[in-house]
Amino acid sequence: MAFISNRCQNSTTGMSKQRIFSGVAPSGNIHIGNYLGAIKNWVKLQDECDSIFCVVDMHAITLPRDPEELRKKTIEVAKIYLASGIDLEKSTLFIQSHIPEHAELSWILNTIARTGEMSRMTQFKDKAELHSGNSSTMESVPLGIFNYPVLMAADILLYDTQVVPVGKDQLQHIEITRTLANRFNKRFGNTFIVPEPYITKEGANIMGLDDPTKKMSKSAKSDYNYIALNDSEEDVRRKIKKAVTDSGSEIVYRDDKPALMNLINIYSLLSDKPAKEIEKQYKGKGYAEFKTDLAEVIIKFMNPFQEKMNDLSDEKVLEILREGAEKVRPIAKNKLDEVKKKIGFVL
Ligand code: TYM
Protein backbone atom coordinates (compact mmCIF):
# COMPACT_ATOMS: atom_id res chain seq x y z
CA MET A 1 0.00 0.00 0.00
CA ALA A 2 1.08 3.57 -0.56
CA PHE A 3 1.89 5.70 2.44
CA ILE A 4 0.65 9.10 1.59
CA SER A 5 2.35 12.08 3.06
CA ASN A 6 1.13 14.92 0.91
CA ARG A 7 1.30 18.08 2.98
CA CYS A 8 -1.34 20.69 3.06
CA GLN A 9 -0.55 23.58 0.78
CA ASN A 10 0.05 26.88 2.36
CA SER A 11 -1.43 30.16 1.32
CA THR A 12 1.94 31.52 0.09
CA THR A 13 0.80 30.64 -3.41
CA GLY A 14 -2.43 32.49 -2.90
CA MET A 15 -4.27 29.17 -2.57
CA SER A 16 -6.33 28.61 0.51
CA LYS A 17 -5.17 26.04 3.04
CA GLN A 18 -6.25 22.46 2.56
CA ARG A 19 -8.85 21.18 4.99
CA ILE A 20 -8.14 18.17 7.16
CA PHE A 21 -10.69 16.27 9.22
CA SER A 22 -10.25 13.34 11.57
CA GLY A 23 -11.60 11.81 14.76
CA VAL A 24 -11.27 9.21 17.48
CA ALA A 25 -14.20 7.17 18.80
CA PRO A 26 -14.64 7.53 22.59
CA SER A 27 -14.58 3.82 23.31
CA GLY A 28 -12.23 1.39 25.03
CA ASN A 29 -8.73 2.29 26.11
CA ILE A 30 -7.23 5.04 23.96
CA HIS A 31 -3.62 3.98 23.44
CA ILE A 32 -0.27 5.06 22.03
CA GLY A 33 -1.26 3.50 18.69
CA ASN A 34 -4.07 6.06 18.39
CA TYR A 35 -1.62 8.79 19.30
CA LEU A 36 1.23 7.71 17.03
CA GLY A 37 -0.97 6.64 14.11
CA ALA A 38 -3.27 9.62 14.08
CA ILE A 39 -3.16 12.40 16.69
CA LYS A 40 0.61 13.04 16.45
CA ASN A 41 0.17 13.76 12.74
CA TRP A 42 -2.77 16.08 13.38
CA VAL A 43 -0.55 18.18 15.66
CA LYS A 44 2.02 18.45 12.88
CA LEU A 45 -0.51 19.17 10.12
CA GLN A 46 -2.49 21.82 12.01
CA ASP A 47 0.32 24.32 11.31
CA GLU A 48 -0.34 24.15 7.59
CA CYS A 49 -3.95 23.04 7.25
CA ASP A 50 -7.42 24.20 8.08
CA SER A 51 -8.00 21.55 10.76
CA ILE A 52 -11.20 20.08 12.17
CA PHE A 53 -11.08 17.29 14.76
CA CYS A 54 -14.13 15.52 16.06
CA VAL A 55 -14.93 13.23 18.99
CA VAL A 56 -16.99 10.70 17.09
CA ASP A 57 -19.43 9.59 19.79
CA MET A 58 -22.01 8.33 17.26
CA HIS A 59 -19.42 5.82 16.09
CA ALA A 60 -18.83 4.64 19.65
CA ILE A 61 -22.42 3.40 20.07
CA THR A 62 -22.17 0.79 17.30
CA LEU A 63 -21.42 -1.58 20.19
CA PRO A 64 -23.29 -1.33 23.52
CA ARG A 65 -21.78 1.31 25.84
CA ASP A 66 -22.54 2.34 29.39
CA PRO A 67 -24.05 5.86 29.02
CA GLU A 68 -22.11 7.36 31.94
CA GLU A 69 -18.89 5.84 30.63
CA LEU A 70 -19.58 7.23 27.13
CA ARG A 71 -20.09 10.74 28.52
CA LYS A 72 -16.82 10.49 30.47
CA LYS A 73 -14.85 9.07 27.53
CA THR A 74 -16.14 11.77 25.17
CA ILE A 75 -14.64 14.50 27.35
CA GLU A 76 -11.50 12.41 27.92
CA VAL A 77 -10.88 12.09 24.17
CA ALA A 78 -11.11 15.87 23.77
CA LYS A 79 -8.61 16.23 26.64
CA ILE A 80 -6.31 13.80 24.82
CA TYR A 81 -6.44 16.02 21.71
CA LEU A 82 -5.59 19.11 23.73
CA ALA A 83 -2.87 17.46 25.83
CA SER A 84 -1.29 16.12 22.62
CA GLY A 85 -0.84 19.67 21.37
CA ILE A 86 -3.95 20.43 19.37
CA ASP A 87 -3.99 24.21 19.39
CA LEU A 88 -7.33 26.03 19.40
CA GLU A 89 -5.79 28.91 17.45
CA LYS A 90 -5.22 26.50 14.57
CA SER A 91 -7.82 23.76 14.97
CA THR A 92 -11.49 23.34 15.77
CA LEU A 93 -12.74 20.57 18.08
CA PHE A 94 -16.31 19.38 18.47
CA ILE A 95 -18.51 16.41 19.37
CA GLN A 96 -20.06 14.60 16.41
CA SER A 97 -23.55 14.29 17.94
CA HIS A 98 -23.70 18.08 18.43
CA ILE A 99 -24.02 18.43 14.65
CA PRO A 100 -27.09 16.44 13.51
CA GLU A 101 -26.10 16.96 9.85
CA HIS A 102 -23.74 13.96 10.23
CA ALA A 103 -26.69 11.63 10.78
CA GLU A 104 -28.75 13.26 8.03
CA LEU A 105 -26.02 13.02 5.41
CA SER A 106 -25.27 9.50 6.54
CA TRP A 107 -28.87 8.49 5.77
CA ILE A 108 -28.67 10.03 2.32
CA LEU A 109 -25.36 8.29 1.59
CA ASN A 110 -26.88 5.01 2.82
CA THR A 111 -29.16 5.17 -0.18
CA ILE A 112 -26.23 5.13 -2.61
CA ALA A 113 -23.92 2.78 -0.69
CA ARG A 114 -24.16 -0.94 -1.46
CA THR A 115 -24.51 -3.85 0.94
CA GLY A 116 -21.72 -5.71 -0.87
CA GLU A 117 -19.34 -2.82 -0.26
CA MET A 118 -20.15 -2.74 3.45
CA SER A 119 -19.86 -6.48 3.93
CA ARG A 120 -16.32 -6.46 2.51
CA MET A 121 -15.04 -4.08 5.21
CA THR A 122 -12.43 -5.79 7.40
CA GLN A 123 -13.53 -3.89 10.50
CA PHE A 124 -17.13 -4.99 9.98
CA LYS A 125 -16.05 -8.61 9.83
CA ASP A 126 -13.88 -8.25 12.96
CA LYS A 127 -16.43 -6.34 15.00
CA ALA A 128 -19.31 -8.58 13.92
CA GLU A 129 -17.32 -11.59 15.06
CA LEU A 130 -16.50 -9.86 18.35
CA HIS A 131 -20.20 -9.17 18.87
CA SER A 132 -21.65 -12.52 17.87
CA GLY A 133 -18.62 -14.64 18.77
CA ASN A 134 -19.03 -16.34 15.41
CA SER A 135 -18.59 -14.87 11.95
CA SER A 136 -21.29 -17.13 10.47
CA THR A 137 -24.03 -15.84 12.82
CA MET A 138 -24.75 -12.31 11.59
CA GLU A 139 -28.42 -12.17 12.64
CA SER A 140 -27.84 -10.36 15.92
CA VAL A 141 -25.12 -8.00 14.69
CA PRO A 142 -26.33 -4.38 15.01
CA LEU A 143 -26.90 -2.59 11.68
CA GLY A 144 -24.74 0.28 12.92
CA ILE A 145 -21.65 -1.94 12.76
CA PHE A 146 -22.55 -2.80 9.19
CA ASN A 147 -23.00 0.69 7.78
CA TYR A 148 -20.62 2.53 10.10
CA PRO A 149 -18.29 3.46 7.18
CA VAL A 150 -21.18 5.43 5.64
CA LEU A 151 -21.37 7.59 8.77
CA MET A 152 -17.59 8.05 8.54
CA ALA A 153 -17.97 9.10 4.90
CA ALA A 154 -20.61 11.64 5.98
CA ASP A 155 -18.25 13.02 8.65
CA ILE A 156 -15.55 13.60 6.06
CA LEU A 157 -17.65 14.80 3.09
CA LEU A 158 -19.73 17.24 5.12
CA TYR A 159 -16.72 19.53 5.57
CA ASP A 160 -15.22 19.49 2.05
CA THR A 161 -12.28 17.62 3.55
CA GLN A 162 -9.25 17.22 1.31
CA VAL A 163 -6.95 15.20 3.58
CA VAL A 164 -7.82 12.64 6.28
CA PRO A 165 -4.94 11.79 8.63
CA VAL A 166 -5.53 8.30 10.07
CA GLY A 167 -3.88 4.97 10.85
CA LYS A 168 -3.75 2.21 8.26
CA ASP A 169 -6.80 0.40 9.67
CA GLN A 170 -9.00 3.26 8.39
CA LEU A 171 -7.72 3.18 4.81
CA GLN A 172 -10.58 0.97 3.59
CA HIS A 173 -13.06 3.44 5.07
CA ILE A 174 -11.41 6.34 3.22
CA GLU A 175 -11.58 4.33 0.03
CA ILE A 176 -15.32 3.77 0.46
CA THR A 177 -15.69 7.50 1.23
CA ARG A 178 -14.00 8.26 -2.09
CA THR A 179 -16.26 5.78 -3.88
CA LEU A 180 -19.41 7.32 -2.38
CA ALA A 181 -18.25 10.87 -3.18
CA ASN A 182 -17.54 9.94 -6.80
CA ARG A 183 -20.82 8.06 -7.14
CA PHE A 184 -22.84 10.97 -5.74
CA ASN A 185 -20.98 13.50 -7.92
CA LYS A 186 -21.61 11.41 -11.01
CA ARG A 187 -25.32 11.04 -10.30
CA PHE A 188 -26.15 14.53 -9.04
CA GLY A 189 -23.32 16.75 -10.30
CA ASN A 190 -20.15 17.92 -8.61
CA THR A 191 -20.90 18.23 -4.89
CA PHE A 192 -18.26 16.51 -2.79
CA ILE A 193 -14.49 16.86 -2.68
CA VAL A 194 -12.90 13.42 -3.05
CA PRO A 195 -10.57 13.17 -0.02
CA GLU A 196 -7.07 11.66 0.22
CA PRO A 197 -5.80 9.65 3.19
CA TYR A 198 -2.69 10.82 5.04
CA ILE A 199 -0.85 7.90 6.57
CA THR A 200 2.76 7.95 7.74
CA LYS A 201 4.85 4.81 7.41
CA GLU A 202 6.15 4.16 10.94
CA GLY A 203 3.02 5.07 12.87
CA ALA A 204 0.53 3.58 10.42
CA ASN A 205 0.05 0.34 12.24
CA ILE A 206 1.33 0.03 15.78
CA MET A 207 1.02 -3.62 16.67
CA GLY A 208 -0.14 -5.32 19.87
CA LEU A 209 2.61 -5.70 22.48
CA ASP A 210 1.36 -9.21 23.22
CA ASP A 211 0.93 -10.16 19.54
CA PRO A 212 2.90 -8.27 16.87
CA THR A 213 0.83 -9.84 14.09
CA LYS A 214 -2.30 -7.88 15.11
CA LYS A 215 -2.78 -4.14 15.54
CA MET A 216 -2.76 -2.58 18.99
CA SER A 217 -6.44 -2.37 19.84
CA LYS A 218 -8.60 -0.33 22.23
CA SER A 219 -10.84 -3.34 22.79
CA ALA A 220 -8.10 -5.95 23.28
CA LYS A 221 -8.99 -8.55 25.92
CA SER A 222 -5.61 -8.35 27.65
CA ASP A 223 -4.20 -5.05 28.89
CA TYR A 224 -0.76 -6.36 27.91
CA ASN A 225 -1.82 -5.58 24.30
CA TYR A 226 -1.51 -1.81 24.63
CA ILE A 227 -0.06 1.15 26.49
CA ALA A 228 -3.12 3.23 27.35
CA LEU A 229 -2.58 6.97 27.40
CA ASN A 230 -3.63 6.98 31.07
CA ASP A 231 -1.36 4.13 32.15
CA SER A 232 0.83 4.73 35.21
CA GLU A 233 4.63 4.53 35.13
CA GLU A 234 4.36 1.11 36.77
CA ASP A 235 1.89 -0.08 34.10
CA VAL A 236 4.27 1.05 31.36
CA ARG A 237 7.29 -0.73 32.87
CA ARG A 238 5.28 -3.92 33.54
CA LYS A 239 3.79 -4.03 30.03
CA ILE A 240 7.04 -3.29 28.18
CA LYS A 241 8.88 -5.87 30.27
CA LYS A 242 6.31 -8.45 29.24
CA ALA A 243 6.09 -7.38 25.57
CA VAL A 244 6.63 -10.24 23.13
CA THR A 245 10.04 -10.24 21.39
CA ASP A 246 11.44 -12.22 18.46
CA SER A 247 13.88 -15.10 18.57
CA GLY A 248 17.55 -14.13 18.80
CA SER A 249 19.02 -11.48 21.01
CA GLU A 250 20.14 -8.60 18.80
CA ILE A 251 18.24 -5.34 18.51
CA VAL A 252 17.64 -5.10 14.77
CA TYR A 253 15.03 -3.37 12.62
CA ARG A 254 14.11 -6.00 10.09
CA ASP A 255 10.96 -7.42 8.51
CA ASP A 256 11.64 -10.88 9.92
CA LYS A 257 11.58 -9.38 13.46
CA PRO A 258 8.05 -7.94 13.64
CA ALA A 259 7.96 -7.60 17.43
CA LEU A 260 11.23 -5.67 17.52
CA MET A 261 10.26 -3.54 14.54
CA ASN A 262 7.15 -2.52 16.41
CA LEU A 263 9.01 -1.69 19.62
CA ILE A 264 11.67 0.25 17.70
CA ASN A 265 8.93 2.14 15.83
CA ILE A 266 7.39 3.21 19.14
CA TYR A 267 10.83 4.18 20.49
CA SER A 268 11.68 6.07 17.30
CA LEU A 269 8.40 7.99 17.05
CA LEU A 270 8.45 9.04 20.70
CA SER A 271 12.12 10.02 20.79
CA ASP A 272 12.42 11.42 17.26
CA LYS A 273 15.43 9.15 16.68
CA PRO A 274 15.58 7.23 13.40
CA ALA A 275 15.28 3.43 13.70
CA LYS A 276 18.80 2.97 12.27
CA GLU A 277 20.26 5.10 15.04
CA ILE A 278 18.43 3.06 17.68
CA GLU A 279 19.81 -0.12 16.12
CA LYS A 280 23.32 1.33 16.37
CA GLN A 281 22.80 2.49 19.94
CA TYR A 282 21.89 -1.06 21.05
CA LYS A 283 24.50 -2.94 19.04
CA GLY A 284 25.92 -5.66 21.28
CA LYS A 285 23.31 -4.94 23.96
CA GLY A 286 20.38 -7.17 24.91
CA TYR A 287 16.59 -6.94 25.10
CA ALA A 288 16.61 -6.14 28.82
CA GLU A 289 18.50 -2.87 28.38
CA PHE A 290 16.53 -1.90 25.27
CA LYS A 291 13.20 -2.56 27.01
CA THR A 292 14.18 -0.67 30.16
CA ASP A 293 15.09 2.34 28.03
CA LEU A 294 11.96 2.04 25.88
CA ALA A 295 9.77 2.12 29.01
CA GLU A 296 11.56 5.30 30.09
CA VAL A 297 11.10 6.88 26.64
CA ILE A 298 7.36 6.21 26.90
CA ILE A 299 7.19 7.53 30.46
CA LYS A 300 9.07 10.68 29.40
CA PHE A 301 6.32 11.31 26.85
CA MET A 302 3.46 10.30 29.15
CA ASN A 303 4.34 12.38 32.23
CA PRO A 304 3.89 15.87 30.75
CA PHE A 305 1.02 14.57 28.60
CA GLN A 306 -0.88 13.28 31.63
CA GLU A 307 -0.12 16.44 33.58
CA LYS A 308 -1.70 18.51 30.81
CA MET A 309 -4.74 16.23 30.80
CA ASN A 310 -5.17 16.58 34.55
CA ASP A 311 -4.98 20.37 34.29
CA LEU A 312 -8.02 20.49 32.01
CA SER A 313 -11.40 20.67 33.72
CA ASP A 314 -14.42 18.90 32.24
CA GLU A 315 -16.33 22.20 32.19
CA LYS A 316 -13.63 24.03 30.26
CA VAL A 317 -13.33 21.21 27.73
CA LEU A 318 -17.08 21.04 27.21
CA GLU A 319 -17.11 24.79 26.61
CA ILE A 320 -14.37 24.37 23.97
CA LEU A 321 -16.35 21.58 22.30
CA ARG A 322 -19.57 23.59 22.26
CA GLU A 323 -17.79 26.60 20.76
CA GLY A 324 -16.22 24.31 18.17
CA ALA A 325 -19.65 22.98 17.20
CA GLU A 326 -20.90 26.54 16.65
CA LYS A 327 -17.92 27.21 14.37
CA VAL A 328 -18.44 24.15 12.15
CA ARG A 329 -22.25 24.18 12.14
CA PRO A 330 -22.58 26.60 9.17
CA ILE A 331 -20.15 24.53 7.07
CA ALA A 332 -22.15 21.36 7.73
CA LYS A 333 -25.50 23.07 7.14
CA ASN A 334 -24.41 24.62 3.82
CA LYS A 335 -23.10 21.34 2.49
CA LEU A 336 -26.20 19.41 3.59
CA ASP A 337 -28.50 22.03 2.04
CA GLU A 338 -26.56 21.71 -1.23
CA VAL A 339 -26.99 17.93 -1.09
CA LYS A 340 -30.71 18.21 -0.27
CA LYS A 341 -31.28 20.56 -3.21
CA LYS A 342 -29.43 18.29 -5.59
CA ILE A 343 -31.42 15.19 -4.63
CA GLY A 344 -34.78 16.98 -4.81
CA PHE A 345 -35.73 17.68 -1.20
CA VAL A 346 -37.92 20.77 -0.77
CA LEU A 347 -36.05 23.25 1.42
P1 TYM B 1 -10.52 4.76 16.11
O1 TYM B 1 -11.20 5.52 17.19
O2 TYM B 1 -10.59 3.27 16.15
O3 TYM B 1 -9.00 5.16 16.05
C1 TYM B 1 -8.59 6.51 16.06
C2 TYM B 1 -7.38 6.70 15.17
O4 TYM B 1 -6.30 5.87 15.63
C3 TYM B 1 -5.79 5.10 14.55
N1 TYM B 1 -5.34 3.80 15.09
C4 TYM B 1 -4.11 3.34 14.94
N2 TYM B 1 -3.03 3.82 14.32
C5 TYM B 1 -1.89 3.09 14.35
N3 TYM B 1 -1.80 1.89 14.99
C6 TYM B 1 -2.86 1.36 15.63
N4 TYM B 1 -2.77 0.19 16.24
C7 TYM B 1 -4.08 2.08 15.62
N5 TYM B 1 -5.32 1.85 16.12
C8 TYM B 1 -6.08 2.91 15.77
C9 TYM B 1 -6.97 4.92 13.61
O5 TYM B 1 -6.56 4.61 12.31
C10 TYM B 1 -7.65 6.27 13.71
O6 TYM B 1 -7.03 7.20 12.84
N6 TYM B 1 -13.68 5.21 12.32
C11 TYM B 1 -12.65 5.86 13.05
C12 TYM B 1 -13.02 7.21 13.59
C13 TYM B 1 -13.65 8.13 12.60
C14 TYM B 1 -12.97 8.95 11.68
C15 TYM B 1 -13.99 9.66 11.00
C16 TYM B 1 -11.63 9.11 11.35
C17 TYM B 1 -14.97 8.37 12.47
N7 TYM B 1 -15.20 9.29 11.50
C18 TYM B 1 -13.68 10.55 9.97
C19 TYM B 1 -11.32 10.02 10.32
C20 TYM B 1 -12.34 10.73 9.66
C21 TYM B 1 -12.24 5.00 14.22
O7 TYM B 1 -12.99 4.20 14.71
O8 TYM B 1 -11.01 5.28 14.70
Side-chain angles (χ1 to χ4, degrees), residues 56-214:
V56 287
D57 55 346
M58 288 157 67
H59 283 269
I61 60 164
T62 51
L63 284 172
R65 305 281 168 210
D66 173 66
E68 213 35 65
E69 185 65 24
L70 177 60
R71 260 188 289 275
K72 247 177 73 189
K73 270 260 132 73
T74 300
I75 302 293
E76 188 189 306
V77 168
K79 286 186 183 177
I80 288 173
Y81 295 175
L82 293 163
S84 300
I86 293 299
D87 177 348
L88 297 171
E89 297 284 320
K90 301 171 186 162
S91 302
T92 306
L93 308 187
F94 74 102
I95 300 175
Q96 185 185 30
S97 64
H98 285 184
I99 304 291
E101 282 83 354
H102 290 247
E104 283 189 76
L105 181 59
S106 175
W107 174 253
I108 294 167
L109 294 176
N110 267 324
T111 64
I112 64 163
R114 298 173 184 159
T115 54
E117 288 165 340
M118 295 302 121
S119 60
R120 283 193 287 277
M121 296 289 121
T122 314
Q123 271 209 352
F124 162 64
K125 291 186 212 159
D126 292 350
K127 282 196 180 176
E129 198 167 327
L130 199 73
H131 184 267
S132 68
N134 179 347
S135 60
S136 61
T137 321
M138 291 293 174
E139 296 225 352
S140 66
V141 175
L143 261 180
I145 293 183
F146 185 66
N147 64 357
Y148 147 111
V150 179
L151 177 59
M152 180 159 160
D155 299 339
I156 296 168
L157 299 179
L158 206 45
Y159 298 96
D160 283 337
T161 305
Q162 285 147 301
V163 181
V164 190
V166 282
K168 188 178 157 199
D169 62 329
Q170 298 300 318
L171 188 62
Q172 251 192 343
H173 297 158
I174 313 266
E175 276 160 9
I176 196 74
T177 301
R178 291 170 57 83
T179 303
L180 296 178
N182 279 319
R183 191 174 296 153
F184 189 98
N185 288 347
K186 196 159 166 224
R187 199 176 297 172
F188 298 103
N190 222 3
T191 310
F192 294 123
I193 288 181
V194 182
E196 299 280 347
Y198 178 101
I199 299 173
T200 50
K201 194 164 183 289
E202 291 76 16
N205 205 8
I206 300 296
M207 309 309 273
L209 299 178
D210 57 349
D211 179 359
T213 64
K214 295 201 183 97

Side-chain angles (χ1 to χ4, degrees), residues 215 307 347:
K215 71 165 186 168
E307 249 171 59
L347 292 187

Side-chain angles (χ1 to χ4, degrees), residues 242-275:
K242 232 186 144 194
V244 168
T245 45
D246 306 290
S247 57
S249 59
E250 337 139 82
I251 310 299
V252 281
Y253 190 76
R254 270 204 330 250
D255 284 341
D256 63 335
K257 307 257 184 199
L260 260 178
M261 263 183 99
N262 190 43
L263 296 180
I264 294 177
N265 272 338
I266 296 171
Y267 194 130
S268 166
L269 289 163
L270 288 178
S271 63
D272 277 328
K273 254 188 209 170

